[in-house]
Amino acid sequence: MALPLLPGYSMNKNLGKDKFHKSQHFDYTNGVPMLVGSEKPGIGGELLLGQKQKPKYSVFPKGENSHAPSWVAFDKQVLCFDAFFQEVVPQSKEEKYRIRKCKIYFYLEDDTIQVVEPEFKNSGIPQGTLIRRHRIPLPPPNDDQFYNVHHFNINQEMALYSRTFKIMDCDPFTRNFMRKLGVRINPTSSVPEDPYSDLRQQMEESMKPLRPYERQDTLKQFLDHDRNVLCFYCYWDDSESMFGDPRELIMHYFLADDTIEIREVIYPNSGRDATPKFLHRSRLPKHAPIPVSQPGEKTNRTVLNVFGPMGHGGRYILDSLKTGAVQENFYKDCDLTIGSVVNVWGRRVIICDCDNFTKEFYRTKYGVEDFTPVQYKAPPAPKPARQVPPYNGFGSEEDSLCSCQSLLPKPPQKDFKKLMEKDRQGLESNVLRFVGKMETDNPIDKERVFIISFYLSDDTIAVFEPTQRNTGVIGGKFLERGRVKKPGQALFKSEMSEYFTAQDLYVGARLLLNNQPFQLVDADEYAFNYMEQHAEEFPRANIATILSKIKSISKEKKTQLLAMADSGGTGFIHYEHFRSLLAATDCGLSEHEIMMLGRSYSERQEAEADMAKMLAVAQDHLRKKHFEAFADMVRAFTHEDRNRTGLLSSRETRTICKAFQLPLTDDLLRALLSKYERESGEIDYHAFLSGINWRENPTPPVLPDDMLKFDVNWNGTPQGLAVRSVHYALLLEDVFGPRGTAATEN
């Protein structure tokens, strides 16, 4: 009965469809047009008449509330079945068929199957993967479909590419998974007997001895001592043979397998070929050389003939006592000691010494403590001194010496390590500056003042004369920087000349610089501090050495020294009086040593500098250099001041000043920063920048005398701390003890 035409009903089947595409049925395969879409659906993906949809992925339904695809839900889940197939063996009288065991793997993620046959020893047939992993179609006429999990069960046959496999069993995971799917699992079956395989197994068992072999476990020794090698230095005297001479050898003993390897030490130009090894790595017998053994004469097992004929049909047993075994003694680590003689195939090799690892091994294992080496060769003769021709006057002495040491002259090498250690590093100049005066009868030259600078990086000396007003002498560079020879040396000689060092410069020393005598009368604060910090290098700045000289004075001088006293009874004495008393004792103290004593036992007073004059000099320098980057410096200081306290450490303040290349000397900058330093040790950078800002806060013009006082280059005037008085009571106590101090007080 036809349906009535109700409102909203339509006979059009395409109503509500949104897919109208048509699958491609024709394509080129290897250049030939073919029909390739016979299994593809019709328009819009709908199946044609008589067409069945083939599952593309796993046939398992998704779990409840699970939307993951099968390749995610069943990833790394494989069903494993034990199976076998029977293979016909034609043209063989030993066997007619063969039973071959295999394993069938079914991958749940994509319904692929893989068949693998385990490899058996001496099978003679290719084994391994029989069928690679892919989807296997069903036998005809259902070859358009593929195997899935429902086709597997125990004790049933499967045809895979015309080869029939029978499933015998499966693993526990497969059995549990099949039960969850509702599959009734059949009982397991056994593999049928294979006559030929049984025959092969009987033959292999017949070849095994009735008693097991004696096991020699060497794995533990290998694992414990792998790559542990004892090294011995040996000596072989082959001088008795024709053209023979003593040989030096190196013996390596491998603890992993008790083998020995010997290498020969071949020196250059010895006339011998560099052979790779003196003895190849092997076990070294003690009683070598030994006669060559016949094949089978030395075996690991000793067999006794009980009864019966020799050969086939006889009865044998193993000799547990090894009465007929041939024993061979090989060298062990306990046989190798210093001074022992090793028989290396008839050669007497003496062990003379060993390395540190070998010594520690014998000390730990055997308790050996005596490792005195054996002297097997005379000590090398001292090399004769090379005669160097005298200096010819061309170039420097070092340059002439290098031209005599090789055919290709090379420039003399400088002490690079000393240069890197003593070169200028930030505020550490490593330059010792002294005040010197000429020793002459000329009254004009006597008043001239020179700055003698000694550079610790390369032991060079430079002399500079600061300009003095109304002297009639033009100041400037007096001596170019360079090394200066000590006086009294010949010019043309083979030995190297001696040059002035840092120890030769001290207050009171007399120097002859290019035939001009100088006397050092003072030094800057950095030179005094450097000598005090490195007293082991400068004996005239070593307080212990100076005190020992005072202790060695005579009794009369000692009484005179103990009689020192001041009028106020404070325990202090004026420095000039202290200096005159020490000079009168005639104890051999130089001016520098007296100054070191005064600095060590002094009451120092810091020379106060005029703040206004320092700011005037600093602004004058900045004005002449056209320095106006004060706003940038304010921003830099504010950036470094994280807490916005207006204070920074002295080191950070100096770093910023150096970064902006502030044209002020180190002494002047250090003095200015000390004026703006708070009790906490930090610098008020706002007040510092306001003081040196010559644009906003100009100071009165600076006088020429003030400019000379705060000159850019140190001009020899005393700087820093001035010694006013000396604590003589403490000095006497350190020199003569408490009794000397008490005698002075009495």
Side-chain angles (χ1 to χ4, degrees):
M1 179 178 179
L3 295 175
L5 296 175
L6 299 178
Y9 181 77
S10 176
M11 300 297 294
N12 188 3
K13 297 182 179 179
N14 295 331
L15 188 64
K17 295 180 59 176
D18 56 354
K19 295 182 180 180
F20 299 94
H21 66 277
K22 184 177 180 180
S23 303
Q24 182 179 359
H25 293 270
F26 298 95
D27 198 359
Y28 283 90
T29 302
N30 296 329
V32 179
M34 298 181 62
L35 177 65
V36 296
S38 60
E39 299 178 357
K40 294 185 178 181
I43 297 176
E46 295 183 355
L47 298 178
L48 302 177
L49 294 177
Q51 207 175 35
K52 296 181 181 180
Q53 185 176 6
K54 298 180 180 179
K56 208 168 187 181
Y57 302 102
S58 179
V59 298
F60 303 144
K62 297 180 181 180
E64 296 181 1
N65 300 327
S66 176
H67 301 283
S70 60
W71 55 273
V72 175
F74 301 106
D75 184 28
K76 297 182 181 180
Q77 296 187 15
V78 184
L79 304 183
C80 179
F81 299 92
D82 296 331
F84 72 92
F85 66 93
Q86 181 176 332
E87 183 181 31
V88 179
V89 182
Q91 299 179 358
S92 177
K93 64 179 181 178
E94 288 85 2
E95 55 179 343
K96 300 299 182 183
Y97 63 90
R98 182 175 298 176
I99 303 298
R100 301 177 62 177
K101 301 177 184 179
C102 59
K103 287 184 177 293
I104 301 177
Y105 297 100
F106 182 82
Y107 296 85
L108 297 174
E109 55 180 334
D110 53 0
D111 293 348
T112 54
I113 299 174
Q114 182 184 11
V115 181
V116 179
E117 181 182 7
E119 296 183 359
F120 292 93
K121 184 179 180 180
N122 298 328
S123 63
I125 55 177
Q127 295 175 326
T129 302
L130 299 181
I131 302 177
R132 62 178 178 83
R133 177 182 173 182
H134 67 288
R135 299 180 70 189
I136 300 179
L138 295 173
N142 300 323
D143 53 352
D144 57 340
Q145 301 179 12
F146 298 92
Y147 278 100
N148 55 47
V149 69
H150 299 295
H151 295 94
F152 287 86
N153 203 342
I154 297 177
N155 203 4
Q156 73 174 17
E157 296 182 351
M158 298 180 61
L160 305 180
Y161 293 119
S162 302
R163 180 174 286 178
T164 303
F165 293 84
K166 185 174 182 180
I167 300 177
M168 303 177 300
D169 200 357
C170 62
D171 60 354
F173 171 77
T174 305
R175 188 182 299 272
N176 188 22
F177 187 85
M178 300 289 286
R179 286 176 180 174
K180 290 181 180 180
L181 291 180
V183 178
R184 180 176 295 177
I185 301 178
N186 299 331
T188 60
S189 61
S190 60
V191 182
E193 295 183 357
D194 185 3
Y196 181 73
S197 299
D198 296 342
L199 179 61
R200 288 288 301 271
Q201 185 176 2
Q202 292 177 4
M203 293 177 60
E204 291 180 359
E205 291 179 354
S206 64
M207 290 187 293
K208 295 181 180 179
L210 299 179
R211 293 182 59 184
Y213 286 96
E214 296 180 3
R215 183 179 180 182
Q216 296 180 357
D217 187 12
T218 58
L219 180 61
K220 183 179 184 304
Q221 180 183 0
F222 173 77
L223 296 178
D224 292 343
H225 301 288
D226 186 25
R227 298 186 180 182
N228 292 343
V229 183
L230 305 181
C231 181
F232 299 93
Y233 303 101
C234 307
Y235 171 75
W236 173 42
D237 189 3
D238 190 32
S239 57
E240 295 182 358
S241 60
M242 184 178 295
F243 307 111
D245 56 352
R247 307 282 189 91
E248 295 184 26
L249 308 174
I250 297 178
M251 179 186 297
H252 293 153
Y253 184 88
F254 297 87
L255 296 173
D257 52 359
D258 298 331
T259 55
I260 293 177
E261 175 191 79
I262 300 179
R263 295 177 178 270
E264 184 177 1
V265 180
I266 300 178
Y267 293 98
N269 301 326
S270 62
R272 295 188 177 275
D273 294 335
T275 56
K277 293 180 182 179
F278 186 82
L279 176 67
H280 285 277
R281 179 178 176 179
S282 60
R283 300 181 67 186
L284 183 61
K286 291 184 178 180
H287 307 289
I290 54 178
V292 180
S293 304
Q294 297 296 329
E297 183 177 352
K298 296 180 180 179
T299 59
N300 296 329
R301 303 169 63 238
T302 304
V303 183
L304 299 179
N305 185 4
V306 181
F307 61 89
M310 295 293 294
H312 184 69
R315 297 294 183 265
Y316 302 91
I317 63 173
L318 292 175
D319 184 10
S320 59
L321 300 179
K322 298 182 179 180
T323 56
V326 179
Q327 299 291 337
E328 259 189 306
N329 295 327
F330 297 93
Y331 279 102
K332 300 287 186 179
D333 54 351
C334 58
D335 302 323
L336 305 178
T337 57
I338 296 180
S340 62
V341 179
V342 180
N343 181 17
V344 182
W345 297 100
R347 298 167 179 84
R348 290 172 49 86
V349 176
I350 303 174
I351 299 178
C352 301
D353 200 357
C354 59
D355 60 355
N356 294 330
F357 173 77
T358 307
K359 295 178 182 178
E360 186 64 26
F361 175 80
Y362 278 92
R363 186 181 294 110
T364 304
K365 185 175 181 180
Y366 298 105
V368 180
E369 295 294 340
D370 186 14
F371 297 99
T372 305
V374 177
Q375 297 295 334
Y376 59 92
K377 59 180 179 180
K383 295 183 179 180
R386 180 183 297 180
Q387 297 295 332
V388 179
Y391 175 58
N392 53 11
F394 293 96
S396 63
E397 295 183 2
E398 293 82 0
D399 192 12
S400 299
L401 181 62
C402 291
S403 63
C404 301
Q405 292 177 349
S406 60
L407 294 177
L408 299 177
K410 297 181 180 179
Q413 299 293 330
K414 296 183 179 181
D415 192 351
F416 185 75
K417 181 180 179 181
K418 184 178 180 180
L419 177 64
M420 296 302 295
E421 292 178 353
K422 300 298 182 180
D423 196 13
R424 182 182 184 91
Q425 299 176 1
L427 300 177
E428 192 73 16
S429 63
N430 287 319
V431 178
L432 306 182
R433 297 186 295 182
F434 298 87
V435 180
K437 290 190 175 182
M438 285 187 178
E439 289 187 344
T440 178
D441 297 333
N442 190 345
I444 299 178
D445 292 341
K446 283 184 178 181
E447 301 299 329
R448 297 172 65 181
V449 179
F450 297 89
I451 307 301
I452 301 176
S453 302
F454 186 88
Y455 296 85
L456 297 173
S457 59
D458 53 359
D459 296 342
T460 55
I461 297 177
V463 181
F464 178 82
E465 182 180 5
T467 304
Q468 299 184 27
R469 300 181 62 184
N470 301 326
T471 59
V473 179
I474 301 176
K477 186 184 299 184
F478 184 83
L479 178 64
E480 184 73 24
R481 178 180 174 181
R483 301 175 66 188
V484 180
K485 296 181 181 180
K486 291 183 178 181
Q489 302 183 76
L491 179 60
F492 303 103
K493 61 182 185 304
S494 300
E495 297 79 12
M496 296 295 296
S497 300
E498 295 183 4
Y499 295 86
F500 282 107
T501 60
Q503 288 74 20
D504 299 326
L505 275 70
Y506 54 90
V507 178
R510 287 176 170 79
L511 305 179
L512 187 63
L513 305 179
N514 293 348
N515 296 327
Q516 179 61 50
F518 287 90
Q519 183 178 8
L520 305 184
V521 296
D522 201 356
D524 64 349
E525 186 68 21
Y526 178 81
F528 285 122
N529 292 334
Y530 185 88
M531 291 183 178
E532 290 174 354
Q533 295 173 3
H534 302 79
E536 66 280 356
E537 301 178 10
F538 300 91
R540 298 186 183 273
N542 195 335
I543 298 299
T545 305
I546 300 174
L547 293 179
S548 63
K549 290 183 178 180
I550 299 178
K551 293 179 182 179
S552 62
I553 62 177
S554 62
K555 185 176 180 180
E556 298 178 357
K557 299 295 183 181
K558 179 179 179 181
T559 305
Q560 180 182 358
L561 188 61
L562 291 175
M564 290 191 309
D566 58 319
S567 59
T570 58
F572 291 90
I573 188 174
H574 197 270
Y575 175 73
E576 294 298 334
H577 187 198
F578 171 78
R579 177 180 174 278
S580 61
L581 285 175
L582 287 181
T585 55
D586 195 15
C587 56
L589 293 179
S590 63
E591 185 68 24
H592 193 95
E593 293 173 332
I594 296 176
M595 296 179 69
M596 287 293 105
L597 280 177
R599 289 172 58 87
S600 301
Y601 297 93
S602 65
E603 180 185 9
R604 299 193 180 186
Q605 297 179 0
E606 187 174 356
E608 295 291 339
D610 191 355
M611 183 67 176
K613 292 182 179 179
M614 284 196 300
L615 289 178
V617 173
Q619 289 190 8
D620 185 74
H621 284 301
L622 297 178
R623 187 184 298 106
K624 290 180 178 179
K625 297 294 182 180
H626 304 286
F627 184 84
E628 299 181 358
F630 300 105
D632 297 337
M633 291 185 68
V634 171
R635 286 192 291 269
F637 278 111
T638 307
H639 176 73
E640 294 295 332
D641 187 8
R642 307 297 182 185
N643 300 325
R644 298 298 185 269
T645 59
L647 302 176
L648 282 179
S649 64
S650 178
R651 181 178 181 181
E652 293 176 341
T653 305
R654 291 182 183 179
T655 303
I656 296 176
C657 293
K658 293 298 182 182
F660 281 90
Q661 298 181 358
L662 194 67
L664 297 179
T665 61
D666 294 340
D667 297 337
L668 183 57
L669 180 60
R670 189 183 301 107
L672 283 174
L673 293 179
S674 63
K675 294 298 181 180
Y676 294 99
E677 187 175 358
R678 298 291 183 87
E679 295 180 357
S680 60
E682 296 178 324
I683 307 298
D684 186 358
Y685 59 86
H686 288 294
F688 169 70
L689 294 177
S690 177
I692 64 175
N693 193 340
W694 59 274
R695 282 288 188 184
E696 298 179 358
N697 304 312
T699 58
V702 62
L703 299 177
D705 294 338
D706 298 333
M707 286 296 298
L708 181 61
K709 181 178 180 180
F710 300 98
D711 198 2
V712 177
N713 295 324
W714 182 66
N715 56 3
T717 58
Q719 299 273 342
L721 302 178
V723 179
R724 300 298 181 184
S725 58
V726 180
H727 196 323
Y728 75 94
L730 183 59
L731 173 61
L732 295 178
E733 182 177 354
D734 292 343
V735 176
F736 305 110
R739 295 182 179 179
T741 306
T744 305
E745 294 177 356
N746 295 332

